Each structure stands twice: as C-alpha cells, then as structure tokens.
Amino acid sequence: MKRRNFIKNTALSSAGLAIGSTLVSCADDNTKTSNTVVANTAKASLPLVIATWHVEAATAKAMEVLQAGGNALDAVEQGCRVEEANEKGQSVGKGGLPDRDGNVTLDACIMDKHGNCGSVVYLQNITHAVSVARKVMEDTPHVMLAGEGAKQYAISQGFQAEDLLTEASKKAWEDWKVKSEYKPIINIENHDTIGMLAIDNNGDISGACTTSGLAYKMGGRVGDSPIIGSGLFVDNEIGAAVATGLGEEVVKTVGSFLVVELMRQGKSPQDACEEAISRIVNKPTSDYKNFQVGYIAVNKQGETGSYSIHQWFSMTKFQDGINEQIQSDYFNKA
Ligand code: SD4
C-alpha cells in the first residue's frame, strides 16, 4: 500500500474512529523514500485544537471556526489573533513586553496542510503578526519577511500601524531598567508564546505560533517562534508540533521538526515531546535548570502530547465539547 494512502485510510472522520495498533512497513510513492509508520490505537474525534499555555478563549475561537466548517488554517490564525489582541497577555501581540530599548518586536509563523509556510520576524507596530505571516505565505513568493520590510508589507496590505507598548508593559520595562538584569525567566506569565495546532473535520492539520519573544531581549534578537522547524512544524501526513520557552535552546535542536520526525518514526506525541526535551537537557553543557522549554504535539490520529523541562507548563485542549487546561508532565523533578 502506498504510504499516503495508508495514512489517508487511517485518518479519522469527524465521527471518530478506532484504529488498531499496527506496525506497517511500506514503500512510498515516488515523491518519498521508504518509511515505517506506526498506527497507534486511538479514538479521537475531530475537530480538535491544542495550544500552549492557558488560552481557553483562543482555543474556543479556533473551535468555533472549525465547527462552522472552517479549515484548520483559518482556525489557528483566528485563535492566535485572540491572544494577540489581548493586552493583558504580556508576551504576545499588543501589550507584549518590549526589548531592553523599549521596542515591542513580534515574531510569528503559520504552516498549512500542504507544507506551505509564512513568517515574520522583528515586526513592529502591527498587532496581528500571525495574519501578516499568513499573507506572506499566501501572497508573496517568500517564506519570511523581517523588520521594516515586514511592517511596510503589512501596511501595504491594509494592516493598521499602532503603538504596541501599553502603559502596563511600559511600566514593567521601566521597573526592569532599574537593575537592567537580563535573565530569561521561567514561566513568565500565566501564559506565554501562543502556539496552536488544529485538525479540522477533513483530518487536515495546520499550526501557528506568535510571540513578542523574550522580555527585555537585545535589540534585533529573534527567537524560535518564527523559525519553521524550530518554533513550529506541520507535516499533514504525520502530525505537528509547536514550542515555547527559551527560543535559543529550541533553535539549537530544531525542536518542532524533531518532534514531528520522531512521530514519523513511530513515537507517540507524548514520547516525541519527551525525547525532544531530553535532547536539550542531556547536553553535557546544558544549563537547563535556568530556563524553560515546552512542546505540544498532535499526530494524524488525533493523539496529543505535551512535555516541558520544568513544572507549570500547560496545554489547552478543545475536543468533544471540552475546552480544558491540562498540566504538562515535566523533566526536572529534583
Ligand atoms: C522566544 N520562544 O522568543 C519564544 C518566547 C517564549 O516562553 O516562548 N517564551 O524565545
């Protein structure tokens, strides 16, 4: 059986479908090399949405899109926009904490079921970075736009330029300036970068990620969130993953791509997230006690997983009418 057909046959319908646990080796079609696919026992109903941290309003919006018949791409974009517009969230969109010079700079990306992707880095003055990333993906010949070019492109597409530094974020920055101590803080907020993955009624997967990055970072710093494969990766035949935490450590291990490749090799989303974290913490020089990284993942069968270095990372999951925050298991139990 061709791999693509095998996976298609095991994809779940909106009614939900149980799949037996089978190890299948199969030759691929002429676009891929041979591979091994494990179909885990799963009973998932579609659609479903997962997101990093505690973002129930965002997952609710995404589910609303999916239940109205929208696709996963629309769902993740609309879901992320909720947090970008939420001024109380100080790590995403408007109200994001600035860099050390007081500039709010945003990173975002989006990826669809075809493997198309778009991203923006170091974007200023535009709240909905995820929507600019989608425009880059759909309406330009490029994958990534940065800085002033990204901003000018957004404005040319009708996005409104505005000051993203709210009074609360300005005050936090001024307080920080008293000591000007740069230290990534573990679990800065009750939520952080929002990364969202969705499977729609057709069983197709998309993902998005948006952030103001690390608070008080150096001017010009870009994290993992807009880097395809690091902050986010989607393979519609296998699954998807998204990262949060100290972007530098995610980039060094190409974390989200790693999670998806581990799922391709047969690992469950949970095991794949755990292995990706172990690649970070088991480096001989790892300073993991001083930073957080968390992953969430979903596979084509609708199984999900999440794992982090430290406690208090969580995933919000909306499925079967239940929109809930799930505490993630974590590595550092010492
Ligand atoms: C970054 N990964 O810019 C993002 C920020 C984040 O928890 O997720 N912080 O490195």
Side-chain angles (χ1 to χ4, degrees):
M1 188 188 299
K2 297 222 169 170
R3 176 166 169 272
R4 184 162 289 155
N5 289 339
F6 167 74
I7 292 172
K8 208 164 146 195
N9 290 341
T10 59
L12 302 177
S13 72
S14 56
L17 176 66
I19 298 172
S21 180
T22 324
L23 182 65
V24 180
S25 285
C26 45
D28 273 325
D29 60 25
N30 55 11
T31 61
K32 301 261 168 65
T33 55
S34 66
N35 211 336
T36 300
V37 176
V38 177
N40 291 305
T41 299
K43 192 173 191 300
S45 74
L46 302 182
L48 78 84
V49 182
I50 57 172
T52 54
W53 304 103
H54 188 197
V55 289
E56 283 166 22
T59 47
K61 181 69 196 177
M63 184 53 79
E64 184 187 311
V65 171
L66 293 167
Q67 280 173 339
N71 63 34
L73 186 68
D74 291 334
V76 293
E77 181 193 4
Q78 292 302 320
C80 285
R81 284 174 63 100
V82 170
E83 286 305 321
E84 287 178 333
N86 174 11
E87 293 183 22
K88 291 196 180 132
Q90 289 187 303
S91 49
V92 178
K94 187 154 186 175
L97 291 170
D99 66 15
R100 57 185 55 184
D101 304 316
N103 299 312
V104 180
T105 70
L106 306 182
D107 293 338
C109 74
I110 195 161
M111 197 161 180
D112 74 7
K113 64 178 179 178
H114 302 296
N116 295 316
C117 46
S119 99
V120 286
V121 307
Y122 200 75
L123 176 69
Q124 294 184 63
N125 300 109
I126 308 287
T127 297
H128 292 300
V130 72
S131 296
V132 184
R134 182 168 178 177
K135 277 259 168 215
V136 172
M137 174 175 83
E138 292 182 334
D139 296 341
T140 80
H142 306 304
V143 163
M144 186 180 278
L145 290 182
E148 189 59 24
K151 177 175 159 182
Q152 289 311 324
Y153 173 67
I155 290 168
S156 77
Q157 297 301 304
F159 290 83
Q160 202 191 332
E162 54 185 321
D163 186 0
L164 301 183
L165 189 66
T166 55
E167 278 308 311
S169 293
K170 189 171 174 199
K171 163 106 182 35
W173 170 58
E174 279 164 353
D175 290 348
W176 171 82
K177 275 201 296 184
V178 174
K179 281 194 183 164
S180 298
E181 208 176 41
Y182 180 69
K183 197 167 181 291
I185 301 168
I186 294 171
N187 302 330
I188 307 173
E189 291 291 322
N190 62 344
H191 76 82
D192 213 88
T193 293
I194 176 167
M196 184 177 282
L197 309 172
I199 310 185
D200 59 29
N201 284 314
N202 290 329
D204 289 322
I205 310 172
S206 291
C209 187
T210 182
T211 187
S212 52
L214 289 182
Y216 320 128
K217 59 198 173 186
M218 289 175 70
R221 183 264 187 189
V222 170
D224 61 313
S225 302
I227 310 295
I228 302 299
S230 290
L232 170 74
F233 197 70
V234 176
D235 181 328
N236 197 40
E237 292 189 341
I238 303 298
V242 68
T244 183
L246 185 62
E248 282 75 2
E249 298 301 322
V250 177
V251 168
K252 286 177 204 168
T253 49
V254 200
S256 295
F257 183 72
L258 174 62
V259 172
V260 173
E261 286 304 299
L262 289 165
M263 291 194 289
R264 186 192 307 280
Q265 289 164 22
K267 284 197 188 294
S268 67
Q270 183 62 35
D271 287 348
C273 289
E274 291 182 20
E275 170 69 23
I277 291 292
S278 91
R279 297 282 175 98
I280 296 172
V281 299
N282 287 325
K283 285 182 180 172
T285 54
S286 183
D287 187 27
Y288 71 84
K289 293 214 162 143
N290 292 317
F291 62 81
Q292 173 71 300
V293 171
Y295 291 108
I296 64 169
V298 64
N299 67 11
K300 191 71 174 172
Q301 289 76 34
E303 296 173 295
T304 60
S306 70
Y307 198 67
S308 56
I309 299 176
H310 300 285
Q311 196 173 13
W312 306 124
F313 175 52
S314 62
M315 168 173 80
T316 305
K317 179 171 178 173
F318 200 152
Q319 185 180 31
D320 288 330
I322 299 168
N323 191 12
E324 60 181 346
Q325 185 187 13
I326 299 168
Q327 282 302 325
S328 175
D329 193 10
Y330 56 98
F331 172 80
N332 185 22
K333 298 200 168 112

